[in-house]
Amino acid sequence: LKYLDEYRDAALAEKLVAAIRREAKRPWTLMEVCGGQTHSIVRFGVDTLLPSSIELVHGPGCPVCVTPLELVDRAQAIARTSGVVFCSFGDMLRVPGSNGDLARAKAEGADVRVVYSPLDALALARANPEREIVFFAVGFETTAPANALAVKLARERGVENFSVLVSHVLVPPAVRSIFAAPDNRVEALLGPGHVCTVMGTSAYELLASEIRVPIVITGFEPIDLLEGVLRAVRQLERGDCRVEVQYARAVTRAGSAASIAVVDEVFEVCARTWRGIGVIPNSGYRLRDAYAAHDAERRFDVSHLQTRESSSCISGQILRGVRKPTECREFGARCTPERPLGATMVSSEGACAAYFNYGRERRAARTLELVS
Amino acid sequence: VNAGLDCPLPFGDYTNVVLGHGSGGRLSHALVEGLLLPALGLDPNATLEDQAILDPLAGRPAITTDSFVVSPLFFPGGDIGSLAVYGSVNDLAVGGAVPRFLSLALIVEEGLAIDTLRRVAASIRAACSRSGVRLVTGDTKVVERGKADGLYVTTTAIGVVPPGRRLSAANARPGDRVIVSGPIGDHGIAVLSKREGLALETELVSDSAPVHGLVLSALEVEPEIRCLRDPTRGGLSSALNEIARASRVGIRLDERAVPVRPAVRGACELFGFDPLYVACEGRVVAIVPARSAERVLETMQRRELGQEAAIIGEVVAEHPGVVTERSVVGGERVVSLLSGEQLPRIC
């Protein structure tokens, strides 16, 4: 783990902050795309180190947050089907659906299990041939290769009782839709380091030339983030809009060929609904027809479900960077991680949960009022 | 003659606990007198009464109770038996009490290996002896298979608080220093890594241990210690938030000063946990007047359990009720109470 320390070095951080102060002549608004980056920024107080002229807004890159309500409800319905073992990453258990969350389904008797990898779910399927094992395949380009691999192996090995409920989304189309909106105010992007480690950077070169803003592919440690901000500010001050790779220790232009190949073999691009944002064309993956036998939505009849979204949740605007969590009337009041109204309050990568857990503005102010 | 650990089978051919062992009949007596009492170091021939009658205590009596449901039952550095003894002993110790007596209740799931029960009982015996408490009463129940997770243990401990000693979470004052007696999170991560089959670079051992000796020596050099807590469930964050609220003060930590072992940091990075929320079972956090903080620190560091003690922050008048931390890179954040569950069952 020692390698991490150099990316958390206080003296280096101070130097970078000084350089940002020196070079930023005008106010700029930057968006970090990834939920992991948002978490790290708030966890280490990176934004509290920046001059007030540099504003960081938080992007759509939290897979738990953008999984649409329809799929959360379908997951619940499948999980409550007798004979099913429903496997999921832990974060998804507490995402509110129309009628409670998966944790409640579990408490009421559904067999819901937390796994750390789709391959664990596949192993469970082989060990329990009499049960139906369903894995909730959520995520961005980062989780797609492992999920694709699990489905590929299931077909090759004839594991018929294994299926996946797919909710895969892609970063570039989401960014495009944010920039197409009239209320967009983002002027530069800190690009998703992990996504580019898998997929490479060529899609972002195309993107930068289309939306005409600097994109700095950035890592997740405090020093990474500060360096990402500095490079973005330099480009902004010069009027550039290039793709730069700050996270060069992991990212190559071509990405991981093996990962891209397995994703391409199992998945095809399709339109996806993003929670809080709406339908974005070509913004996600579904299983190719050759793998239809492992598609949970074909195996279980869940298309008839009616969804009901909380009317006061503004997670859509938060995911597009238009508003901040503390600008929501419900933040910290009716909406908390214990009783989330929307998904951005659930995952540790969700902007609202990060703000709440690390006690930003309003909550600190409220506590002060309560105590004094 | 051969009461104790070296007495493997005076009680039939059972290798696993059956429901009859909880019936109150012959099998129950065999379990208690043939296995539990000898393994716990108690006289199996003594007359068993329904209650223990204690001698008067020289001071105010302190009492605490706690249930233990840890999975797995055995983990690096401890097991559910020693954990249950130290857990209650430590809850007394942080009130400034000297632990004296212990009560023990076991809920055993049908099918538990007799040998497991024997090992846990032997561990309880050793832990009582290390803590200086006497086991004076107990109870055993057996429940059907599937109705419990192997074994649940409840302990109640009674101790005595010397005259004049008044520790309270409401006593912290601006200017006081925050001391932690050693690296945080060892227990939570040791249990988690055992459960998940996680191979850490170096084997991590739970910090589970009785802290009363450490506490009493600290109180000797500074009787005015404001408050002590053992950061178990919810970790250091919960302990400090409770103090900040009760005392209506702010607490400011320095992340660079908080001792965390590399293996704990590594596992936390892997699972997305924050060490401030991971449980310890043999650590104390102390709020100490600034004038004596260094002396208390040195006293702790001279003891085996406190070798890696550190001053990690201070009590401030600003932001009452709120704990903040200056991060390794100099940014500020609020350390709030844990929402929901960060770790599987660990204590």
Side-chain angles (χ1 to χ4, degrees):
Chain A
L1 186 80
K2 288 187 188 72
Y3 74 93
L4 270 183
D5 290 337
E6 56 186 297
Y7 301 103
R8 295 181 180 176
D9 181 83
L12 190 50
E14 214 169 291
K15 269 189 205 152
L16 287 166
V17 170
I20 293 166
R21 282 184 192 283
R22 204 166 50 239
E23 299 194 24
K25 313 284 186 215
R26 284 165 285 174
W28 298 110
T29 302
L30 282 59
M31 171 184 274
E32 82 278 0
V33 171
C34 261
Q37 293 167 331
T38 304
H39 180 91
S40 195
I41 285 166
V42 185
R43 156 77 177 79
F44 289 99
V46 170
D47 52 343
T48 66
L49 299 172
L50 296 175
S52 57
S53 60
I54 304 295
E55 187 185 3
L56 292 178
V57 298
H58 316 306
C62 161
V64 170
C65 304
V66 300
T67 299
L69 190 57
E70 292 83 8
L71 277 168
V72 176
D73 286 354
R74 284 175 196 179
Q76 277 225 38
I78 293 170
R80 288 175 187 270
T81 306
S82 102
V84 166
V85 180
F86 194 87
C87 301
S88 168
F89 295 132
D91 271 4
M92 288 305 301
L93 260 59
R94 299 194 49 254
V95 176
S98 299
N99 297 297
D101 55 20
L102 279 167
R104 182 163 127 195
K106 179 170 187 272
E108 288 171 2
D111 193 345
V112 177
R113 302 190 195 178
V114 172
V115 295
Y116 291 100
S117 155
L119 298 174
D120 294 345
L122 184 61
L124 201 62
R126 301 187 78 181
N128 298 278
E130 77 291 354
R131 306 284 301 269
E132 280 285 332
I133 311 298
V134 183
F135 178 71
F136 203 173
V138 301
F140 280 88
E141 291 90 331
T142 40
T143 52
N147 291 346
L149 182 65
V151 174
K152 183 173 175 314
L153 290 174
R155 191 176 79 157
E156 281 173 10
R157 295 173 184 175
V159 189
E160 288 173 7
N161 61 329
F162 177 79
S163 61
V164 289
L165 178 60
V166 179
S167 177
H168 263 293
V169 284
L170 302 167
V171 170
V175 169
R176 242 177 229 116
S177 103
I178 287 168
F179 278 82
D183 52 358
N184 171 59
R185 59 200 186 93
V186 179
E187 297 167 292
L189 287 177
L190 302 186
H194 289 155
V195 167
C196 291
T197 305
V198 176
M199 304 300 288
T201 59
S202 50
Y204 293 82
E205 287 160 16
L206 187 67
L207 187 63
S209 66
E210 270 176 54
I211 60 177
R212 318 253 348 128
V213 300
I215 301 179
V216 183
I217 309 299
T218 304
F220 298 80
E221 292 299 319
I223 297 299
D224 291 326
L225 291 158
L226 287 169
E227 200 185 325
V229 170
L230 177 61
R231 291 195 189 197
V233 165
R234 275 185 187 153
Q235 282 204 45
L236 287 165
E237 291 289 346
R238 280 200 303 262
D240 282 352
C241 53
R242 291 181 296 111
V243 171
E244 269 185 76
V245 179
Q246 180 280 329
Y247 197 40
R249 63 186 185 277
V251 174
T252 59
R253 189 163 186 279
S256 157
S259 298
I260 293 170
V262 70
V263 167
D264 194 46
E265 185 184 334
V266 173
F267 290 125
E268 61 189 4
V269 171
C270 66
R272 278 278 172 199
T273 303
W274 293 57
R275 193 169 192 175
I277 296 179
V279 178
I280 305 176
N282 303 320
S283 69
Y285 289 133
R286 66 174 170 228
L287 289 172
R288 289 188 184 277
D289 283 340
Y291 293 91
H294 297 286
D295 187 344
E297 285 181 276
R298 300 196 199 198
R299 192 170 296 199
F300 301 91
D301 180 22
V302 285
S303 53
H304 58 280
L305 296 170
Q306 296 288 316
T307 60
R308 203 179 61 227
E309 186 78 90
S310 160
S311 56
S312 54
C313 178
I314 62 161
S315 62
Q317 289 164 300
I318 289 172
L319 290 166
R320 291 189 295 120
V322 176
R323 292 169 81 181
K324 291 215 169 172
T326 41
E327 291 165 29
C328 176
R329 275 191 306 149
E330 310 290 5
F331 176 79
R334 271 217 312 147
C335 182
T336 64
E338 289 80 24
R339 300 191 58 145
L341 290 181
T344 43
M345 187 54 101
V346 174
S347 165
S348 64
E349 295 187 0
C352 297
Y355 267 55
F356 187 90
N357 288 329
Y358 294 125
R360 282 306 164 86
E361 294 116 342
R362 253 182 68 177
R363 180 152 181 268
R366 271 184 58 240
T367 314
L368 291 177
E369 278 168 33
L370 288 177
V371 173
S372 56
Chain B
V1 191
N2 56 355
L5 301 178
D6 49 347
C7 169
L9 249 198
F11 100 161
D13 304 325
Y14 292 98
T15 55
N16 297 78
V17 174
V18 297
L19 275 178
H21 284 126
S23 65
R26 213 167 273 149
L27 276 177
S28 290
H29 284 279
L31 183 72
V32 172
E33 288 158 26
L35 181 135
L36 287 174
L37 291 179
L40 289 165
L42 302 171
D43 178 6
N45 300 316
T47 309
L48 292 177
E49 306 289 354
D50 281 349
Q51 73 296 117
I53 297 175
L54 310 177
D55 296 330
L57 296 168
R60 288 168 298 154
I63 182 165
T64 185
T65 193
D66 210 339
S67 295
F68 296 82
V69 297
V70 65
S71 167
L73 297 176
F74 298 87
F75 47 84
D79 58 77
I80 193 168
S82 55
L83 188 70
V85 176
Y86 299 147
S88 284
V89 162
N90 291 349
D91 281 345
L92 285 183
V94 293
V98 182
R100 296 285 301 279
F101 304 107
L102 195 78
S103 131
L104 172 73
L106 303 174
I107 293 178
V108 185
E109 183 185 7
E110 178 188 21
L112 184 77
I114 294 286
D115 186 56
T116 300
L117 197 56
R118 192 195 317 277
R119 283 168 65 202
V120 170
S123 167
I124 290 171
R125 176 190 187 176
C128 284
S129 140
R130 185 177 172 195
S131 310
V133 289
R134 192 150 67 84
L135 183 56
V136 290
T137 186
D139 179 54
T140 307
K141 294 282 190 301
V142 180
V143 296
E144 274 175 68
R145 199 182 181 99
K147 298 284 168 67
D149 196 0
L151 176 65
Y152 298 150
V153 180
T154 297
T155 54
T156 300
I158 293 176
V160 55
V161 185
R165 190 170 285 167
R166 295 203 182 272
L167 294 157
S168 164
N171 287 351
R173 295 174 209 172
D176 290 349
R177 298 293 188 266
V178 182
I179 299 179
V180 69
S181 67
I184 58 169
D186 293 5
H187 175 75
I189 298 299
V191 170
L192 180 79
S193 53
K194 170 83 178 181
R195 172 200 290 242
E196 301 293 337
L198 185 70
L200 298 171
E201 285 166 41
T202 48
E203 164 135 23
L204 188 66
V205 173
S206 165
D207 51 60
S208 173
V211 298
H212 63 290
L214 185 75
V215 164
L216 295 178
S217 65
L219 281 167
E220 261 169 43
V221 295
E222 175 52 284
E224 297 292 302
I225 287 179
R226 316 281 193 212
C227 151
L228 293 157
R229 279 286 157 112
D230 58 332
T232 54
R233 263 183 313 183
L236 195 59
S237 161
S238 284
L240 292 176
N241 270 287
E242 283 163 24
I243 293 168
R245 284 180 190 188
S247 296
R248 301 185 166 224
V249 293
I251 292 178
R252 193 174 285 155
L253 300 179
D254 180 355
E255 185 178 12
R256 279 170 299 189
V258 179
V260 183
R261 291 191 203 285
V264 172
R265 275 185 60 195
C268 282
E269 290 292 335
L270 200 59
F271 285 98
F273 297 152
D274 184 335
L276 288 180
Y277 296 90
V278 182
C280 313
E281 289 289 346
R283 301 285 178 237
V284 197
V285 57
I287 307 292
V288 182
R291 60 172 190 270
S292 52
E294 287 296 335
R295 270 190 300 136
V296 170
L297 181 69
E298 284 160 19
T299 307
M300 283 189 177
Q301 286 171 339
R302 277 198 292 273
R303 297 188 67 102
E304 197 194 332
L305 278 181
Q307 279 173 14
E308 294 169 78
I311 297 177
I312 57 170
E314 63 178 334
V315 177
V316 296
E318 298 89 62
H319 54 77
V322 177
V323 181
T324 62
E325 183 182 74
R326 192 178 149 83
S327 81
V328 280
V329 292
E332 288 278 337
R333 63 151 164 157
V334 170
V335 180
S336 59
L337 278 174
L338 185 62
S339 304
E341 189 170 327
Q342 183 173 247
L343 292 167
R345 282 209 325 266
I346 45 163
C347 57

